[in-house]
Amino acid sequence: MNKSLFIVLNIIFFVFNFCVIRYLPSVIFMDWLPSHFLFFFGTAPIGSLIWGTYFIKFFKTQKDI
C-alpha cells in the first residue's frame, strides 16, 4: 500500500468515525445497544486492518530488525 492510499484511507476512516456517526439516527438494538456504539465498535476491526497492513509492510522494509 503506498503512502497516499494509506493517508486517504485514514482520513476517510476518521471522518466517518468522528463526523458521520454522530449525525446518524440512534436506534436501540436488542433493547440495550445504541447504534452509535455498534458503529464505533464495528469500525475498530477496519482500523486494525489498515494499521496492521501498514506495520507489516513497514517492518518488511527494515533490514536491521
Side-chain angles (χ1 to χ4, degrees), residues 5-28:
L5 179 61
F6 177 73
I7 291 169
V8 169
L9 283 175
N10 271 302
I11 290 171
I12 291 170
F13 179 73
F14 287 117
V15 165
F16 181 77
N17 271 344
F18 296 111
C19 296
V20 175
I21 289 178
R22 64 187 286 189
Y23 294 113
L24 293 175
S26 182
V27 180
I28 305 295

Side-chain angles (χ1 to χ4, degrees), residues 32-57:
W32 62 274
L33 180 64
S35 61
H36 291 139
F37 288 145
L38 187 65
F39 289 131
F40 276 127
F41 293 131
T43 56
I46 296 168
S48 298
L49 287 173
I50 292 171
W51 281 93
T53 304
Y54 171 77
F55 281 117
I56 288 170
K57 299 238 183 219

